[in-house]
Amino acid sequence: MNPGEIQAMIQTLHESLLEQKSLILNKSYEFRQEQCNRAPVSDESEAASGNLEDSISIHLHERDRRTLYQIERALGKIADGTYGQCEACAYPIGPRRLQVHPFSTLCVSCMEEQESHPRQ
Ligand SMILES: [Zn+2]
C-alpha cells in the first residue's frame, strides 16, 4: 500500500467510525427512552432481581460504551495524525492489521511482547 492508499483507508475508516458512533448514540438514546417509558419499580428487591432481557440490554449497553470509547480514541488519533502508530514503539502498525483490527494501538511485535510479559 502506498501512502495515498493508506490515507484513503484512514478516510474511509474515519467515516465508518463516525457512522458507528452515531448508531451507538442513537441506540443508547432509544435505550434510555425505553427505560423512562417503563413503569417505575417501587420495590428495590424487584429491581435488583430483574429479568434476562434486562441483563442483556445492560450487557449490550456496557459493550457499546467500550466501543464508543475505542471509537473516540481512534478519532482523536486520526485528528492529531497519530492513527496507525504503535503506542509503544511509534512504528506504523500496518494497514493490513488496521483493516482487521481498526482499534489496534500496538504493532504485532509489541502486542506479542505485552502478551508474553503481562503487567511488566
Ligand atoms: Zn510497536
Side-chain angles (χ1 to χ4, degrees):
M1 265 197 194
N2 63 46
E5 283 172 322
I6 294 170
Q7 204 54 47
M9 188 198 88
I10 291 178
Q11 183 57 39
T12 308
L13 179 74
H14 184 241
E15 281 160 24
S16 103
L17 288 176
L18 288 177
E19 199 179 297
Q20 283 181 59
K21 185 178 156 181
S22 69
L23 278 176
I24 292 174
L25 292 179
N26 281 340
K27 200 159 76 176
S28 67
Y29 176 74
E30 281 166 22
F31 177 80
R32 276 200 302 272
Q33 292 290 101
E34 201 181 304
Q35 297 297 100
C36 291
N37 292 340
R38 276 184 200 175
V41 181
S42 50
D43 185 354
E44 267 187 38
S45 65
E46 200 182 317
S49 68
N51 60 40
L52 188 64
E53 205 181 312
D54 276 341
S55 61
I56 289 170
S57 303
I58 289 162
H59 177 75
L60 277 176
H61 199 56
E62 181 59 34
R63 202 185 64 181
D64 283 345
R65 241 157 41 95
R66 272 204 299 272
T67 308
L68 204 57
Y69 171 75
Q70 289 181 309
I71 290 173
E72 292 291 359
R73 232 176 130 186
L75 285 174
K77 282 169 181 284
I78 290 172
D80 65 21
T82 59
Y83 181 78
Q85 243 176 43
C86 174
E87 283 184 352
C89 69
Y91 277 102
I93 292 171
R96 271 173 221 286
R97 178 162 157 76
L98 289 172
Q99 274 179 323
V100 184
H101 304 288
F103 300 130
S104 299
T105 56
L106 294 172
C107 69
V108 176
S109 56
C110 288
M111 190 198 67
E112 281 170 358
E113 180 77 10
Q114 206 172 66
E115 278 174 1
S116 59
H117 307 285
R119 302 184 182 282
Q120 271 183 27

